[in-house]
Every structure is written in C-alpha cells, then in structure tokens.
Amino acid sequence: MSTLVVIPARYASTRYPGKPLVELRGASGQPKSLIQRSWQAAMAVKGVDRVVVATDDDRIRAASEAFGAEVVMTSTTCRNGTERCAEAHAALGGGFDIVVNLQGDAPLTPHWFVEDLIAGLKANATAEVATPVLKTDGAALNGFLADRRAGRVGGTTAVFGVDMNALYFSKEVIPYTGQTYADDAETPVFHHVGVYAYRPAALAAYPGWEMGPLESLEGLEQLRFLERGRQVLCVEVDGKGRKFWELNNPEDVPRIEEMLAEMGAD
C-alpha cells in the first residue's frame, strides 16, 4: 500500500504566529527551524513513498525548499491540517492508499509512532482514520495539569473504548482521576499524539463537512470525524523512554530544546 506523508504548515497560527520558522537548538547548538526538524522526523519513517510540506506561505515554502523538502502550495482557505492534507493529496493527483498527517509542530515524533500508526490502519479494514495515543507517566500528566492551571494549552488527551475506537479528544485533561502521581508512575491518562493516517475517501470527504460545535470549541480537527459518526482508531504506541512534546506555545521552546539535547539530536 502506497503511503504519502504530508506536513501541513501555516504561518498565521493564532496562538503562535510564525511557529514553523521558529529555530530550535539541539545537542550541537545548531539552530534548525521547527519545520525542518519535523521534516527530518518524517523522513526517518520507514516504508513511506513520498514526503511533502504543504503550506500557503512563501516564507515557509522558501525555507523548506532550502533544506531539500518537496513543497505543495495549498490555498489560504484551509481551516486546519486535515483540510490542507486533503488539498495536497488532490494536488498531487491522488492515488495513495494511505495519507499521513505529520503536523509541523511535533519534531520529537519518533519514527516508530508513525510506522505503528500506519500498520494499525492497515490491519483494521473498517477504520477510516487512525491516530496514536501514548500512556502518560506522572511527569507528563503533571505537566499537562500545570499548563492548564497557568491558562496554557498543553497536550491533548484522548479517551477510547475497549475496541480502541475514540470516544473523545480534549485539550482538558481527561479522564479526571483526582489522584496525585509520582513523576515515574503510570497513569490512566493518554496523550494524543498529533499524527493522523487517513484512507483517501475519508480524507477527501472531510473538507466538505461543516465544522461542528465540538471542533469549534476545542479547536481539534479530529472531532469533525467523531461529530459525523466516523470511526477514529486509537493506536497505542510505546514511548520506549523517549520524551515527547509538541510545540504549542513560546514557553515550549526551551522544553523541546532540552529534550533534543537529551536525545543527542543535532
């Protein structure tokens, strides 16, 4: 099955304008933009046929082409990354069996997260969309709770049924536990990793659906599938000791740089 990875990137982020071009320093101190680090994460995924950056901004296009990425220009009317992936897939002529949305704010995404996600979608013939979830330890959960207390949008959490089909995703920390966890303790809260794998028919249908109230309130694109009664498969992935964090706010930059240094990433 042929697989396309699309990295949607826009300059005009509401919370963090210009985020794809923010420079992050790794172990060597060398600065690389967020979009370059996300592209490198995508290029490390095995079994992928093509990787493209999808943007509507010439600054992002120029920066991406400078480090060797293939770029697909998309319209300014795309409301989120899923719509941008749909437009990019169509612009490339379609034909891929699976389209992966590796969002441009997740440079720490391990390659096996995406590989396991693709394998999970291939193994479930009825799933139209799949997305990874990662069980949090106390340190990650406490970080999410601290962000919410400070009024920051931190990680997204997910709840799902015994069949691994998603019940809900939220920027609030769900489910509520009422317990205190040590940093190294396992918790019942799952971090939603912002990567998606779509079957082409579901991806093509998505832009034609109106945005529902839950998506509007939470600002989470995957809720449009749930609001339309579409199945979203949650694929549990193993962090293997690797720390994972998304760049949502300027305050996340030093945190991600520290993680890059700990990984030994340039």
Side-chain angles (χ1 to χ4, degrees):
M1 300 179 76
S2 59
T3 302
L4 168 70
V5 175
V6 180
I7 306 170
R10 66 187 182 112
Y11 192 91
S13 169
T14 303
R15 294 199 306 268
Y16 197 168
K19 182 169 67 170
L21 301 183
V22 169
E23 292 190 333
L24 299 167
R25 297 181 184 275
S28 68
Q30 177 184 5
K32 294 181 183 177
S33 66
L34 175 62
I35 190 64
Q36 181 174 0
R37 292 190 180 278
S38 298
W39 177 77
Q40 289 175 329
M43 293 297 288
V45 178
K46 299 179 180 67
V48 167
D49 297 280
R50 196 169 180 179
V51 175
V52 300
V53 172
T55 188
D56 59 5
D57 189 274
D58 285 332
R59 290 163 290 189
I60 296 173
R61 175 194 56 76
S64 299
E65 290 179 343
F67 59 72
E70 180 182 0
V71 178
V72 177
M73 295 302 293
T74 52
S75 67
T76 58
T77 58
C78 294
R79 292 173 289 182
N80 57 40
T82 298
E83 291 192 2
R84 202 171 300 282
C85 287
E87 190 171 311
H89 184 232
L92 292 171
F96 289 90
D97 299 305
I98 292 175
V99 180
V100 174
N101 173 354
L102 179 58
Q103 300 190 87
D105 59 4
L108 298 173
T109 305
H111 63 86
W112 64 86
F113 279 20
V114 186
E115 292 158 3
D116 289 352
L117 175 65
I118 294 168
L121 185 59
K122 287 180 177 179
N124 189 317
T126 64
E128 297 178 289
V129 185
T131 193
V133 292
L134 176 67
K135 181 170 281 191
T136 62
D137 59 15
L141 175 56
N142 293 333
F144 292 168
L145 293 170
D147 279 340
R148 297 307 298 132
R149 286 192 295 269
R152 295 188 297 267
V153 175
T156 297
T157 55
V159 290
F160 45 85
V162 294
D163 56 3
M164 297 301 292
N165 288 328
L167 299 174
Y168 197 62
F169 299 90
S170 183
K171 288 177 180 174
E172 291 292 349
V173 180
I174 56 174
Y176 170 76
T177 70
Q179 298 183 36
T180 300
Y181 296 90
D183 282 353
D184 60 351
E186 186 176 276
T187 84
V189 176
F190 281 83
H191 183 185
H192 171 239
V193 181
V195 185
Y196 305 93
Y198 317 97
R199 299 198 189 276
L203 180 61
Y206 181 93
W209 299 332
E210 290 299 321
M211 186 183 297
L214 297 178
E215 181 187 357
S216 299
L217 288 167
E218 293 268 11
L220 295 175
E221 62 201 275
Q222 67 271 31
L223 291 176
R224 197 180 307 181
F225 288 107
L226 295 186
E227 290 186 273
R228 291 281 168 168
R230 301 302 182 103
Q231 181 188 105
V232 177
L233 177 70
C234 291
V235 177
E236 185 174 357
V237 292
D238 184 354
K240 300 181 182 179
R242 173 84 69 86
K243 292 182 179 179
F244 176 82
W245 204 266
E246 297 163 357
L247 203 162
N248 293 302
N249 309 284
E251 295 87 350
D252 293 325
V253 170
R255 182 181 292 172
I256 290 178
E257 288 184 326
E258 181 181 346
M259 292 178 181
L260 287 167
E262 288 176 359
M263 291 164 48
D266 289 335

